[in-house]
Amino acid sequence: MTTLPARSARAEPTAEVSRGWTASLSLANGAIWVGWFGPLQVLLALQAAGLAPGAGMAEESLLAWVTGAGAVVSMVANPVFGALSDRTTSRFGRRTPWIVGGSLTGAAALVLLALAPDPVTMTLGWCLVQLALNAAFAAVTASVPDQVPHRTRGRVGGWLGAAQMLGVVAGTGLASLGGVLAGYVACAVFCAVGVLPFVVRHKDPALSPAEREPLRWRGFLAGFWLSPRRHPDLGWAWLTRFLINLGNSVVLLYLLYYLRDRVRYADPETGVLVLTAVNGVTLLATVVVGGAWSDRVGRRKPFVLGAGVLMAGASGLLAVWQTWPGALVAAALLGIGFGVFTSVDFALMTQVLPSAAARGKDLGLINIANSLPQAVAPALAAPVVLHLGGYRVLYGLAAATGLLGALLVHRVKAVP
């Protein structure tokens, strides 16, 4: 196990982390994303198609209900588990117990989800997956401001973003190897094993009992509201992330059905895998470079703006060029934009955190901007696809939403 210089768990980090630390944390992050996106990209849609007829529902509606319910759980779980990890005084550190417990429980929940016999059980299973994996993700995310200095967070954020995309690709690939059960089991195994190198090899700074403030429930609960008036930069940065992620979620949610019903692609499951791979390649080409470049020039906002505009343009392509070549081009452009956005926006968000004592909780609240779009996107997308103009209107709406988010980053004042 490697160690960093002894210091308070709440101190602002100054020592650079090793490449091994960054690599193993990135692997843990990617493993969690395998657990999320194997289901989201392929498995939940296949399950919905199989279970919806027996329940007298459209498969699009069932998928919307399941993913929406899971997103609501994610929205609550991430900041709550982040706050709990802020207060954890285990000898293994503040974050490690939650990374281990969350990933193992999430893996077990994925297997249970695979066996769901009806829509209600499917919904409950996905909610349990979201609950557990958000416990792990909140702790993984908080490890960065815990241990990485401001000046290199763009680079580390880039590697986390690369692992995130590799997790999406790996999850999609594992989900597509066999049937629904085999796909879920494969994702579960990867999710459980992928966090081990980080928690075994690297020491997590421990919080001493003396540093932990007495628990007062009123104050604990009140801490989950961060006033945009008191913290305007955090508010604008949060809204930027929410809107850009909402546009991206709208694009991804119905991709399988888009290829099947509009593009008429012969094998839509394979098509999703190909588009995800194209997206992943272009993302990997920009995510680390974008973060490192942002560190080098000491600026964040121009990168977020440019990435958001490019992603909005890619979404617009899906609205006006509804062919397989059009989908390939859009996937490539989305990858380029999201790669830069993922690394640089993460660094930006860590620079507007209000308190070192509540990094996990505050990042959990910020991460609602990732999970809330999963709830809002189905509510927007299902009626648009079924009744309000179909996929052309849907992807036009995604483009407009992402563009608005990109423009709002200019309202952040404390970060250049």
Side-chain angles (χ1 to χ4, degrees):
M1 175 179 289
T2 60
T3 60
L4 295 173
R7 60 178 177 85
S8 167
R10 291 179 173 176
E12 189 64 31
T14 57
E16 298 293 346
V17 294
S18 68
R19 293 180 180 179
W21 187 95
T22 301
S24 57
L25 183 71
S26 299
L27 176 60
N29 187 51
I32 294 168
W33 282 77
V34 166
W36 273 326
F37 274 85
L40 282 170
Q41 292 284 82
V42 176
L43 296 171
L44 290 175
L46 293 178
Q47 269 189 302
L51 294 176
M57 300 175 66
E59 59 192 44
E60 294 90 349
S61 296
L62 176 56
L63 181 62
W65 277 107
V66 171
T67 55
V72 171
V73 171
S74 175
M75 232 177 3
V76 175
N78 204 294
V80 168
F81 284 117
L84 292 174
S85 72
D86 285 334
R87 297 180 53 81
T88 298
T89 55
S90 162
R91 65 187 179 91
F92 299 106
R94 291 196 290 176
R95 314 302 180 187
T96 295
W98 299 99
I99 295 173
V100 174
S103 60
L104 293 179
T105 304
L110 285 167
V111 177
L112 293 175
L113 174 60
L115 304 174
D118 54 64
V120 173
T121 309
M122 178 185 172
T123 303
L124 293 175
W126 181 239
C127 288
L128 180 58
V129 171
Q130 288 280 28
L131 185 72
L133 293 186
N134 271 282
F137 184 64
V140 165
T141 304
S143 296
V144 176
D146 279 352
Q147 302 199 46
V148 181
H150 281 296
R151 62 184 177 273
T152 55
R153 287 182 189 171
R155 175 180 58 82
V156 173
W159 285 112
L160 288 179
Q164 173 181 313
M165 189 61 237
L166 288 173
V168 173
V169 174
T172 305
L174 292 172
S176 304
L177 288 178
V180 170
L181 177 59
Y184 274 119
V185 170
C187 291
V189 171
F190 196 102
C191 186
V193 173
V195 303
L196 295 180
F198 180 71
V199 299
V200 170
R201 296 188 63 243
H202 299 284
K203 184 175 177 59
D204 180 18
L207 180 72
S208 70
E211 290 181 289
R212 185 173 67 179
E213 298 174 0
L215 178 61
R216 296 182 176 89
W217 284 106
R218 180 175 296 181
F220 180 79
L221 296 175
F224 289 102
W225 169 247
L226 293 176
S227 170
R229 287 189 175 184
R230 292 183 59 194
H231 310 288
D233 283 338
L234 180 64
W236 289 116
W238 189 96
L239 189 58
T240 289
R241 172 177 282 202
F242 168 74
L243 290 173
I244 291 178
N245 276 313
L246 177 58
N248 196 53
S249 295
V250 168
V251 170
L252 295 177
L253 182 63
Y254 286 106
L255 192 57
L256 182 72
Y257 302 147
Y258 172 77
L259 292 180
R260 184 189 67 188
D261 299 334
R262 293 299 302 167
V263 177
R264 307 293 183 185
Y265 194 75
D267 186 353
E269 292 176 40
T270 301
V272 170
L273 180 58
V274 171
L275 293 181
T276 303
V278 169
N279 182 267
V281 169
T282 56
L283 185 151
L284 290 172
T286 60
V287 66
V288 177
V289 172
W293 189 8
S294 174
D295 285 342
R296 189 174 298 114
V297 301
R299 304 190 69 188
R300 309 295 188 196
K301 290 191 295 188
F303 292 88
V304 173
L305 174 64
V309 170
L310 182 60
M311 292 171 67
S315 301
L317 275 182
L318 291 171
V320 300
W321 190 12
Q322 296 186 336
T323 65
W324 176 243
L328 288 170
V329 172
L333 294 177
L334 277 170
I336 294 171
F338 198 64
V340 176
F341 174 76
T342 297
S343 57
V344 179
D345 185 68
F346 177 79
L348 184 151
M349 296 302 277
T350 66
Q351 291 178 230
V352 295
L353 294 178
S355 169
R359 293 179 183 124
K361 182 263 294 179
D362 292 342
L363 278 172
L365 293 171
I366 288 169
N367 284 332
I368 292 176
N370 298 330
S371 55
L372 183 58
Q374 297 176 36
V376 176
L380 288 175
V384 170
V385 170
L386 296 174
H387 307 295
L388 299 176
Y391 290 102
R392 195 176 301 277
V393 174
L394 179 69
Y395 288 129
L397 179 63
T401 301
L403 180 61
L404 176 60
L407 295 175
L408 288 179
V409 76
H410 279 305
R411 302 299 298 269
V412 178
K413 302 301 183 185
V415 180

